[in-house]
């Protein structure tokens, strides 16, 4: 790949994902980290991006975004909305289906709502989801291997993503950090977004679970564009005007769960 092509690809990747590490650029471009570092220096000198420790962000995005609240803190927030969303999303899942479920407080609520389901096969990287659903004799649970994270009780990394590729399922149920018409579904952490993207790639239908406070917000790493989302399940407190913008951005179905 010639230098101008690499530079165009770097800018395109940053536009999609907002923040990438040097290692991630090297993997995406198939070049050495030293080549990436030279490219980033040149692009920064031309005002095309902003380097940060270990990678780069687009111009105009702070090099250090505010840290996401811890998993335990997030689990205590918006419980009423999450329960409503979980029950509405569970109602979309047909008996006997195979599902990916990623890690998050919203998908943990979903697992609790699915306990009465029959004949499901659930593949998840979330320890909380796996433990909850393992209590049901009618649900087969597969916990994905990989690196165990310290904040969110879940696995991630190259081993997790590779294992996801072994499956082809009916639904991927994903809980993004934020969702906007302009940038689609977003996550705060690269490793979490990578798991979510892999799940989407191997599912016939995807369902995003996002309470109204997440809508119209931004975060660091793109999972997918709005037009790639099949169903969004949110709560009835979400702003109607924002929901209409999300529909116009290409989300195929928007469900507002009554609280």
């Amino acid at each position: 790949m010639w230098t101008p092509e690499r530079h165009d690809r770097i800018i395109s990747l940053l536009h999609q994902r907002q923040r990438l590490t040097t290692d991630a650029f090297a993997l995406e471009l198939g070049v050495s980290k030293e080549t990436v570092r030279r490219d980033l220096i040149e692009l920064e000198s031309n005002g095309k991006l902003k380097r940060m420790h270990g990678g780069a962000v687009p111009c105009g995005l702070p090099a250090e975004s505010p840290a996401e609240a811890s998993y335990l803190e997030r689990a205590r927030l918006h419980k009423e909305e999450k329960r409503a969303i979980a029950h509405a999303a569970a109602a979309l899942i047909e008996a006997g289906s195979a599902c990916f479920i990623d890690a998050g407080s919203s998908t943990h609520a979903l697992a609790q709502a699915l306990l009465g389901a029959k004949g499901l096969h659930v593949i998840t990287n979330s320890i909380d989801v796996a433990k909850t659903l393992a209590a049901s004799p009618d649900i087969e649970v597969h916990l994905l291997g990989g690196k165990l994270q310290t904040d969110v009780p879940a696995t991630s990394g190259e081993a997790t993503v590779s294992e996801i590729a072994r499956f082809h399922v009916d639904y991927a149920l994903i809980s993004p950090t934020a969702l906007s018409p302009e940038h689609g579904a977003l996550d705060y952490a690269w490793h979490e977004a990578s798991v979510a993207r892999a799940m989407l790639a191997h599912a016939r239908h995807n369902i995003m679970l996002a309470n109204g406070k997440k809508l119209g917000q931004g975060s660091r790493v793109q999972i997918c564009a709005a037009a790639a989302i099949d169903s969004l399940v949110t709560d009835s407190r979400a702003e109607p005007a924002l929901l209409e913008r999300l529909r116009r951005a290409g989300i195929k179905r928007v469900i507002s769960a009554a609280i």
Side-chain angles (χ1 to χ4, degrees):
M1 185 182 295
W2 296 102
T3 300
E5 293 177 282
R6 284 201 315 276
H7 287 187
D8 288 345
R9 181 63 175 150
I10 287 170
I11 298 304
S12 175
L13 287 167
L14 281 180
H15 177 73
Q16 295 171 23
R17 303 181 190 174
Q18 298 298 292
R19 178 183 303 250
L20 268 80
T21 65
T22 302
D23 287 343
F25 279 125
L27 183 63
E28 291 277 358
L29 299 169
V31 298
S32 69
K33 289 187 286 187
E34 288 71 22
T35 297
V36 170
R37 290 190 186 100
R38 288 195 296 270
D39 287 341
L40 296 184
I41 290 170
E42 184 176 344
L43 286 166
E44 184 180 48
S45 69
N46 292 331
K48 299 293 183 66
L49 55 75
K50 187 174 183 178
R51 285 190 300 151
M52 63 171 192
H53 179 70
V57 298
C59 289
L61 185 73
E64 295 299 329
S65 297
E68 185 183 35
S70 73
Y71 178 77
L72 290 177
E73 290 173 314
R74 299 198 303 274
R76 289 194 288 264
L77 298 173
H78 314 300
K79 286 185 175 181
E80 193 176 14
E81 291 91 338
K82 290 173 184 175
R83 278 193 294 269
I85 290 168
H87 284 284
L92 301 177
I93 307 304
E94 298 177 5
S97 298
C99 309
F100 286 128
I101 302 179
D102 79 342
S105 55
S106 295
T107 46
H108 186 207
L110 170 66
Q112 295 164 334
L114 285 171
L115 279 173
K118 302 292 183 183
L120 291 187
H121 181 194
V122 172
I123 301 113
T124 184
N125 67 320
S126 166
I127 293 171
D128 284 346
V129 168
K131 286 170 64 177
T132 296
L133 292 178
S136 171
D138 296 314
I139 300 176
E140 181 180 344
V141 181
H142 180 99
L143 178 62
L144 294 162
K147 181 181 178 181
L148 186 62
Q149 298 302 315
T150 55
D151 178 21
V152 179
T155 57
S156 66
E158 184 179 346
T160 310
V161 171
S162 296
E163 192 173 356
I164 289 169
R166 294 170 49 202
F167 299 93
H168 294 276
V169 305
D170 301 298
Y171 301 97
L173 296 120
I174 306 297
S175 175
T177 296
L179 202 158
S180 75
E182 298 80 11
H183 302 295
L186 302 156
D187 220 320
Y188 183 79
W190 170 263
H191 60 267
E192 292 175 0
S194 297
V195 168
R197 280 197 296 270
M199 289 180 172
L200 295 183
H202 293 275
R204 289 193 304 107
H205 187 93
N206 65 69
I207 302 172
M208 296 286 166
L209 284 64
N211 68 68
K213 297 294 184 183
K214 292 183 177 181
L215 304 184
Q217 301 301 308
S219 195
R220 302 200 301 181
V221 187
Q222 186 184 56
I223 297 170
C224 68
I229 298 172
D230 296 321
S231 298
L232 165 64
V233 184
T234 187
D235 62 82
S236 55
R237 293 172 180 163
E239 295 180 17
L242 182 51
L243 296 182
E244 181 56 32
R245 287 175 56 209
L246 289 165
R247 290 188 185 94
R248 290 201 303 268
I251 296 179
K252 299 169 186 65
R253 175 168 58 170
V254 177
I255 298 168
S256 297
I259 299 174

